[in-house]
Amino acid sequence: MEVVEKEATIDKQFTYFARLLDSNRSGTTMTLWRSDYWLRQADLMEDRRLTMTDTGVIWFKFGKTELTFNEWRQFLNELCETKNFDQEYVEDVLANCGIPSQVNEPQYRSFFDNYRPKLKLIY
């Protein structure tokens, strides 16, 4: 019996990432955190050219904490226009980045985990 793989599509991926870490979610709406996770897994968000601040500014123009698929597509369209990304390429990468898995944070972030205010430093 031959196994036939179905082609990955952005709407299927949207459902997978909308349910990330919560299988009780319907998968019809996406949160900003889950969207950022998806962008990071697809290696589009690397904290230099595209940051969580960039996505947050555009996201909150919608005035909602969760976006439907069509609203999320509008978000992605505005993000690509703002950052001068090729939208077709971005959608292809998002569709083919695989199901949700472990994402590595940039290494320099751990530097800030040990932050102490100047007044608390021991000299």
Side-chain angles (χ1 to χ4, degrees), residues 78-123:
E78 188 170 340
L79 181 67
C80 289
E81 286 178 10
T82 303
K83 301 306 276 181
N84 295 320
F85 291 154
D86 177 14
Q87 186 162 352
E88 188 175 316
Y89 170 77
V90 168
E91 289 180 9
D92 184 56
V93 169
L94 288 171
N96 294 300
C97 71
I99 60 173
S101 61
Q102 184 66 37
V103 172
N104 293 324
E105 296 282 328
Q107 287 183 334
Y108 62 85
R109 285 203 176 175
S110 63
F111 172 80
F112 297 104
D113 290 342
N114 298 329
Y115 172 76
R116 287 194 180 124
K118 189 175 181 181
L119 298 174
K120 302 249 181 192
L121 291 175
I122 300 173
Y123 293 101

Side-chain angles (χ1 to χ4, degrees), residues 10-40:
I10 198 158
D11 57 329
K12 289 178 189 174
Q13 287 290 85
F14 178 89
T15 302
Y16 286 136
F17 281 91
R19 298 183 72 211
L20 177 67
L21 300 177
D22 186 357
S23 59
N24 294 326
R25 290 178 53 87
S26 66
T28 58
T29 60
M30 175 81 70
T31 63
L32 175 59
W33 178 82
R34 287 175 171 89
S35 180
D36 284 350
Y37 194 98
W38 187 8
L39 290 167
R40 192 170 300 283

